[in-house]
Amino acid sequence: MSTDPAEAAILSTLAARGPQKSISYAEAAKALAGNPPDESWHKSMHPVRLAAVRLARAGVIEILRKGKPIDPNNLHGVLRLRLKEQPE
C-alpha cells in the first residue's frame, strides 16, 4: 500500500466499498481528513485529486465520468474513482 496519505485514503475507501463500486472525490477527501463533522475536509480535495491522477497513471484505479473510464490527463466534470480490474 502507498505511503502517501491521500493515496491510502482513496485505496482504503475503495476497498471498503467493494469490487467494481466507485467513490466520489469527496468521500476520499473526508476519509483523508478523518471524517470531520464540518466542512474542513474541503482542504483535502486537491491532494486527493493529485493522488487519483497518480494512481490512475499507475494503472491501480480508473477515473470515471458518466460511468466510463477517462484519461487522467483530461479531467473535467463530475468524476468518480474505481479500482481497476486486474487480469487474473
Side-chain angles (χ1 to χ4, degrees):
M1 185 172 260
S2 173
T3 59
D4 178 76
E7 289 180 12
I10 291 169
L11 295 174
S12 65
T13 305
L14 284 169
R17 182 62 49 92
Q20 289 303 302
K21 300 292 183 181
S22 65
I23 62 167
S24 69
Y25 279 92
E27 290 173 273
K30 288 175 184 177
L32 178 60
N35 292 303
D38 57 14
E39 298 295 313
S40 63
W41 59 268
H42 283 276
K43 294 180 274 187
S44 299
M45 288 292 282
H46 186 67
V48 165
R49 187 176 183 99
L50 294 175
V53 169
R54 285 193 303 272
L55 289 169
R57 286 181 181 157
V60 177
I61 68 167
E62 296 175 312
I63 300 175
L64 308 171
R65 183 164 192 273
K66 296 184 179 181
K68 300 195 184 315
I70 63 168
D71 181 354
N73 298 314
N74 187 22
L75 301 181
H76 63 282
V78 177
L79 305 172
R80 294 191 61 84
L81 309 174
R82 171 176 73 191
L83 285 173
K84 190 168 185 175
E85 279 191 58
Q86 301 301 322
E88 294 183 34

